[in-house]
Amino acid sequence: MATACPPLSLPSTSLLRGGRSARAGPRRRQLSAVRCSAVGEAVAEEASAGTAEEPLLVSAIRGKKVERPPVWLMRQAGRYMKSYQLLCERYPKFRERSENVDLVVEISLQPWKVFKPDGVILFSDILTPLPGMNIPFDIVKGKGPVIYDPLRTAAAVNEVREFVPEEWVPYVGQALNLLRQEVKNEAAVLGFVGAPFTLASYCVEGGSSKNFTMIKKLAFSEPAILHNLLQKFTTSMANYIKYQADNGAQAVQIFDSWATELSPADFEEFSLPYLKQIVDSVRETHPDLPLILYASGSGGLLERLPLSGVDVVSLDWTVDMAEGRKRLGSNVAVQGNVDPGVLFGSKEFISKRIYDTVQKAGNVGHVLNLGHGIKVGTPEENVAHFFEVAKGIRY
């Protein structure tokens, strides 16, 4: 049964109005307001619930009238699910799970079969392309990513090759095709890549980092070396996005998780130009592919993120959704941004935070999500409640 949501009184600043540049992708139609009724019924005419031609998530990103916000969760396939835990007992190594087409499809579909999210994201990792670029790595349980030979010299960076996904990750293309066959257009199949600065951070630091000393030392003492590495990642990730789209991805999210470690001035030098290059390159061949940008802790950089040309900026929970909408402007959709910790609260508390986020986001161009990935230990029944409430909302 649909869960009713409170009436949404939307300020005009919440609605997406006006056009967008050709570089930023396809223009959204100017839309009239759609409100959420107190009884959970759609009020607007011709509001879409997703069609055989286009999933609800894609329609929402394009600014079309939809009956409710589409919903999916970052890390929705993962360690909080009992089914995933059981699979990990049989296949204990992450790369064993993420580089096998059958396991990738099975894991990607685990949340789909239980919760029916509006987005089914490929189970993979942003570092998956690294071996194809001559950068050996592994993901070690309890430690995370390990880059065996950190890239800190010009000679090391010169050894990095351009990534050819058809040769190195054919299982990704196969998995995306199978996911499309499975979910059809009942949900959007989502691909993803790492942004150049974030990938470079892992490769220069040798793994995860708290202080990012090594990459900042490289950036501020030998910037030409870092720019060379960033350009290689830029070309490779643009190709990877196109490969994913050619094999079934209906939208692609770019994770620039560590770009927010940069000052605004350094973001404009070491991250933003390369994000723009990726978007521009993808637009040349796939002009209608929705691109989402996520950078955790991005409050200090928020106005700069839409300058990349992406269709959607994914907000983390440290930014108030209404303020984020105002700061981003009217030409970009938003995703997010419920605190993942909310899922440890009561069902009533979860519902309240969902309604608050949806009301502040407005009724056009919003994809409901968390502000970060689901945390380990999150009660699975609370995730189920999140989806039930979200899918019961009607504008």
Side-chain angles (χ1 to χ4, degrees):
M1 188 173 77
T3 304
C5 69
L8 298 186
S9 178
L10 301 177
S12 60
T13 53
S14 294
L15 301 179
L16 299 183
R17 300 189 303 264
R20 56 198 274 116
S21 67
R23 177 183 54 77
R27 179 173 178 165
R28 296 188 182 87
R29 294 183 295 115
Q30 188 170 356
L31 301 178
S32 58
V34 184
R35 65 179 176 84
C36 174
S37 75
V39 294
E41 295 177 349
V43 175
E45 296 179 359
E46 300 179 357
S48 171
T51 67
E53 294 78 25
E54 183 174 83
L56 177 67
L57 185 145
V58 175
S59 294
I61 290 175
R62 291 178 174 161
K64 297 180 180 179
K65 291 182 180 180
V66 291
E67 65 176 13
R68 62 172 175 84
V71 56
W72 70 282
L73 303 181
M74 287 183 276
R75 293 183 184 168
Q76 65 187 15
R79 291 173 289 177
Y80 74 98
M81 293 192 75
K82 183 64 176 177
S83 56
Y84 181 77
Q85 296 167 12
L86 293 173
L87 190 144
C88 290
E89 293 176 2
R90 289 184 286 143
Y91 306 97
K93 294 184 177 181
F94 180 86
R95 290 187 63 184
E96 184 180 18
R97 300 189 295 274
S98 65
E99 298 179 12
N100 176 295
V101 62
D102 294 329
L103 294 179
V104 168
V105 171
E106 180 179 351
I107 295 168
S108 301
L109 290 175
Q110 284 177 345
W112 165 252
K113 292 177 179 178
V114 178
F115 309 121
K116 288 293 189 288
D118 296 303
V120 174
I121 191 165
L122 176 78
F123 179 78
S124 186
D125 192 87
I126 63 171
L127 302 185
T128 293
L130 294 189
M133 300 184 71
N134 197 30
I135 308 172
F137 90 102
D138 203 355
I139 297 179
V140 179
K141 186 175 181 180
K143 188 174 182 180
V146 176
I147 310 299
Y148 293 110
D149 297 303
L151 307 177
R152 297 173 184 168
T153 65
V157 171
N158 287 338
E159 294 298 316
V160 175
R161 297 190 297 253
E162 183 176 322
F163 180 55
V164 182
E166 295 86 350
E167 295 179 7
W168 286 93
V169 292
Y171 53 87
V172 168
Q174 294 165 17
L176 287 168
N177 274 290
L178 290 170
L179 290 173
R180 280 294 299 274
Q181 293 174 28
E182 178 70 24
V183 304
K184 301 180 173 56
N185 274 341
E186 295 177 48
V189 172
L190 307 174
F192 69 93
V193 302
F197 182 80
T198 291
L199 294 174
S201 296
Y202 279 109
C203 294
V204 174
E205 295 288 340
S208 299
S209 177
K210 291 183 178 180
N211 299 314
F212 296 88
T213 304
M214 292 295 103
I215 192 162
K216 289 190 177 184
K217 178 182 178 181
L218 188 64
F220 303 148
S221 64
E222 298 183 275
I225 296 175
L226 180 55
H227 281 299
N228 186 19
L229 180 60
L230 292 169
Q231 188 58 59
K232 292 188 176 189
F233 280 130
T234 297
T235 302
S236 294
M237 291 309 104
N239 290 338
Y240 194 25
I241 291 174
K242 297 171 187 178
Y243 172 77
Q244 292 184 27
D246 288 341
N247 283 279
Q250 293 163 291
V252 175
Q253 180 155 310
I254 304 169
F255 285 90
D256 208 354
S257 308
W258 304 132
T260 51
E261 294 293 326
L262 295 168
S263 70
D266 294 324
F267 174 78
E268 290 177 357
E269 179 176 356
F270 296 107
S271 179
L272 183 58
Y274 298 102
L275 292 170
K276 285 181 177 179
Q277 279 192 49
I278 289 174
V279 173
D280 290 345
S281 178
V282 172
R283 293 284 184 239
E284 290 178 1
T285 56
H286 299 75
D288 296 323
L289 178 70
L291 296 174
I292 307 166
L293 176 60
Y294 174 77
S296 58
S298 60
L301 300 173
L302 209 54
E303 288 83 358
R304 289 168 172 81
L305 300 183
L307 300 178
S308 63
V310 295
D311 300 281
V312 187
V313 171
S314 190
L315 300 177
D316 78 352
W317 73 95
T318 65
V319 177
D320 178 81
M321 176 57 82
E323 294 175 5
R325 272 290 211 188
K326 185 176 181 180
R327 291 174 61 190
L328 287 170
S330 61
N331 289 337
V332 66
V334 292
Q335 179 174 273
N337 68 332
V338 178
D339 184 341
V342 165
L343 293 177
F344 290 97
S346 68
K347 289 182 171 60
E348 292 77 14
F349 184 69
I350 294 169
S351 299
K352 180 181 177 181
R353 287 299 178 90
I354 292 171
Y355 294 146
D356 179 67
T357 299
V358 172
Q359 183 173 32
K360 288 180 175 179
N363 54 15
V364 180
H366 176 224
V367 177
L368 182 62
N369 205 316
L370 299 177
H372 202 283
I374 297 178
K375 295 182 178 294
V376 177
T378 298
E380 201 166 335
E381 65 182 58
N382 285 1
V383 178
H385 179 74
F386 189 101
F387 278 108
E388 180 183 4
V389 171
K391 296 184 76 173
I393 289 173
R394 294 295 180 270
Y395 285 134

